[in-house]
Amino acid sequence: MTEPLSSENIKTRLERIAKLAKDAPDMAFRSLARHIDIDLLREAYRRTRKDGAVGVDGQTSSQYAAALESNLESLLQRAKSGTYKPPPVRRVYIPKGRGKEMRPLGIPTFEDKILQRAVALILEAVYEQDFYDCSYGFRPGRSAHHLLQDFWWASTRNAGGWVIEIDIQKYFDSIPHERLTEILRQRVVDGVLLRLIGRWIHAGVLERGVLTKSRAGTPQGGVISPLLANIFLHTVLDEWFDEVVKPRLVGRGWLFRYADDAVLLFNNEQDANRVLVALSKRFERFGLVLHPQKTRQVCFRRPDMILSERPGTFDLLGFTHFWSKSRSGKWLVHRRTAKDRFRRTLHRIETYCKARRHDPIGVQQRTLARMLNGHYAYFGITNNVSSLIRLRDETERAWRKWLNRRSQNARLDWEHFARVKRHYPLPRARVVHSFQRTTSKLVI
């Protein structure tokens, strides 16, 4: 969810841009940079996370804030005059899950984050008028749970159908700069903004003292990166599906996209077959490659509509989707935590219990409670309680296991551990998002 604006002046200006973009959907904006002033930079600073890791310059948010006004004035002058040159992104690696696989993470400088946030606010005012309802990721007032709710509604009301899972190989790292610029120029021809975006996508990555530049990809770790990625896929997928594919369907079709995670739902198998073939050609045209194994078609018809086989399952946004009967005997689409996401969370918990087993029990309990509550906040949806209970049980087992190894002399059997849990209880599994009690805004 996007933060509310702190200034009525900024809100009014952005609303004016949005109205103009909505009233003139084919217009290319030539003078957006004039809206970037000291007030907008202050708003961007307010929205920028202050406890993040430092970039290549080593400057912290508190150091930048010590001379905030002069720093923002200097930043504004350099951005407008064309002398601002974004530093390269500092690359670090974080564990991707269980095992040795690591995920690269880019960290811009704090000042760069502020300017990216300011430009993103301007661009967002324009492109929010263009984006379709099928896009949910990194947009104001939309979330992964809105997508999950709308997919549940569409699939349940239409007895399921044929699902195409779309997996783009290394999407954020493979967006061609030339094609991205071409798409941006359809809506933005402001020289200042285009120059800034061009410098961000060409700034490169600094790793172990070595600077690497690429001809593809959005700014790693940058706050503007999700917006640029959304703009690109809006043209590549959303617009194509709505304006080219849907009018040619025999039945009906729906697209659900969160950033680069997307699924298509069809109530006609022939439609799904044809679109699956066309997808690869469409993405190749824009320099993107679909994963040959992970991009697949799944028969997701309601079980009583299928005579010869059971419906398949698929994963979307960390949940495995499958058909199951409700207590009243009706077939409904259910979700459970996907196996890889469950293992990843449990691995983090086990790692913590092992590493911090000598900490005071109260400290461990508070940390484990935060980890479980964080998991419940996302995965606590209707029909997923059993997965949440299982995670809590596994957490208790891991906690007891490593408490039991604090000392050779003090063994902790289950009876003694039960007393520990009474004094230091872990939070119970709970449903945070009850989708079936809410009505989707999706047009069925």
Side-chain angles (χ1 to χ4, degrees):
M1 188 73 71
T2 302
E3 290 183 51
L5 293 166
S6 62
S7 167
E8 283 298 319
N9 176 40
I10 295 172
K11 181 179 179 182
T12 301
R13 273 190 284 159
L14 295 179
E15 287 176 347
R16 192 178 299 125
I17 296 171
K19 184 178 186 306
L20 185 57
K22 186 175 182 179
D23 293 342
D26 297 323
M27 185 184 76
F29 286 80
R30 296 182 178 276
S31 57
L32 289 173
R34 65 187 178 88
H35 296 285
I36 300 179
D37 58 12
I38 196 67
D39 289 335
L40 187 68
L41 289 182
R42 287 195 193 103
E43 177 66 21
Y45 168 79
R46 184 183 74 87
R47 289 168 169 243
T48 301
R49 182 178 170 181
K50 309 301 189 295
D51 59 348
V54 298
V56 294
D57 61 355
Q59 187 178 47
T60 65
S61 60
S62 57
Q63 290 171 337
Y64 194 87
L68 180 61
E69 288 303 311
S70 62
N71 284 333
L72 293 181
E73 289 283 0
S74 172
L75 177 60
L76 178 62
Q77 188 274 328
R78 285 176 283 142
K80 289 293 186 72
S81 66
T83 59
Y84 179 79
K85 294 184 179 179
V89 171
R90 182 170 71 91
R91 175 176 283 172
V92 296
Y93 291 88
I94 58 175
K96 191 173 182 179
R98 185 184 292 271
K100 298 181 179 180
E101 189 175 3
M102 304 292 283
R103 181 193 304 274
L105 180 67
I107 305 174
T109 63
F110 184 75
E111 182 176 69
D112 204 40
K113 293 177 184 177
I114 294 173
L115 188 55
Q116 286 193 33
R117 179 74 67 185
V119 173
L121 285 170
I122 299 294
L123 292 181
E124 187 179 86
V126 175
Y127 282 100
E128 272 299 312
Q129 317 315 309
D130 298 346
F131 289 158
Y132 293 127
D133 287 342
C134 62
S135 171
Y136 297 79
F138 305 105
R139 294 184 58 192
R142 308 194 120 217
S143 69
H145 292 104
H146 290 124
L147 185 154
L148 292 166
Q149 173 186 335
D150 286 349
F151 179 85
W152 178 87
W153 187 262
S155 54
T156 300
R157 288 289 297 270
N158 289 276
W162 285 264
V163 169
I164 296 178
E165 291 183 81
I166 299 175
D167 188 282
I168 309 171
Q169 293 190 143
K170 298 181 178 180
Y171 173 60
F172 285 87
D173 297 329
S174 59
I175 299 175
H177 292 165
E178 295 82 3
R179 299 309 300 268
L180 175 61
T181 303
E182 289 175 13
I183 290 173
L184 285 169
R185 285 185 176 276
Q186 296 173 11
R187 226 25 182 139
V188 178
V189 289
D190 184 292
V192 174
L193 293 193
L194 289 177
R195 182 171 58 242
L196 284 171
I197 293 171
R199 289 180 177 176
W200 277 321
I201 63 180
H202 290 101
V205 174
L206 188 66
E207 182 179 1
R208 297 176 182 175
V210 178
L211 178 63
T212 304
K213 295 193 176 184
S214 173
R215 297 178 61 85
T218 55
Q220 284 200 5
V223 295
I224 202 170
S225 180
L227 177 57
L228 295 178
N230 259 346
I231 292 170
F232 196 71
L233 269 188
H234 167 74
T235 296
V236 175
L237 181 59
D238 305 355
E239 197 172 65
W240 173 71
F241 182 77
D242 190 77
E243 298 181 8
V244 178
V245 174
K246 288 175 73 172
R248 291 171 169 79
L249 296 179
V250 176
R252 302 187 66 188
W254 298 266
L255 166 63
F256 302 88
R257 181 176 68 81
Y258 189 94
D260 61 328
D261 286 325
V263 294
L264 297 167
L265 173 66
F266 302 92
N267 60 11
N268 181 283
E269 186 177 11
Q270 290 183 346
D271 287 337
N273 293 337
R274 287 164 47 220
V275 172
L276 181 61
V277 173
L279 273 172
S280 294
K281 298 178 181 177
R282 175 67 179 179
F283 278 78
E284 286 174 6
R285 179 182 167 189
F286 288 86
L288 301 176
V289 179
L290 294 180
H291 196 290
Q293 281 78 46
K294 295 181 180 179
T295 299
R296 64 189 185 110
Q297 182 175 321
V298 178
C299 177
F300 197 66
R301 294 288 285 164
R302 202 173 64 198
D304 61 337
M305 307 283 288
I306 305 174
L307 299 178
S308 59
E309 59 180 326
R310 297 179 60 185
T313 65
F314 67 94
D315 290 350
L316 175 63
L317 297 179
F319 292 92
T320 298
H321 291 63
F322 61 100
W323 284 96
S324 182
K325 283 189 176 181
S326 66
R327 292 181 180 179
S328 62
K330 296 181 179 179
W331 285 107
L332 295 175
V333 175
H334 286 202
R335 283 73 49 95
R336 61 172 174 263
T337 308
K339 290 180 179 179
D340 62 332
R341 297 294 292 271
F342 186 94
R343 288 195 298 264
R344 190 187 309 172
T345 301
L346 184 58
H347 177 66
R348 278 181 33 245
I349 290 172
E350 290 175 336
T351 301
Y352 169 80
C353 290
K354 178 182 179 180
R356 312 301 297 183
R357 62 185 181 273
H358 294 294
D359 287 359
I361 294 180
V363 173
Q364 295 185 46
Q365 183 268 344
R366 286 191 293 273
T367 301
L368 290 173
R370 284 196 299 270
M371 296 172 82
L372 286 175
N373 282 327
H375 186 86
Y376 299 159
Y378 182 79
F379 290 98
I381 68 172
T382 306
N383 303 128
N384 193 39
V385 173
S386 59
S387 293
L388 305 182
I389 293 174
R390 182 183 163 215
L391 179 66
R392 185 178 185 272
D393 291 344
E394 293 292 340
T395 299
E396 288 184 349
R397 290 188 182 94
W399 194 20
R400 174 186 172 271
K401 171 184 175 180
W402 292 107
L403 285 177
N404 209 18
R405 299 188 183 187
R406 282 156 61 110
S407 170
Q408 293 284 350
N409 300 323
R411 310 305 293 178
L412 188 68
D413 58 26
W414 283 105
E415 182 179 347
H416 291 139
F417 184 62
R419 290 199 292 269
V420 170
K421 290 193 297 181
R422 282 196 296 271
H423 285 88
Y424 303 98
L426 295 179
R428 293 181 177 275
R430 68 184 189 281
V431 172
V432 179
H433 308 278
S434 183
F435 294 160
Q436 294 175 15
R437 296 177 185 174
T438 57
T439 302
S440 170
K441 297 180 182 179
L442 187 70
V443 177
I444 306 297

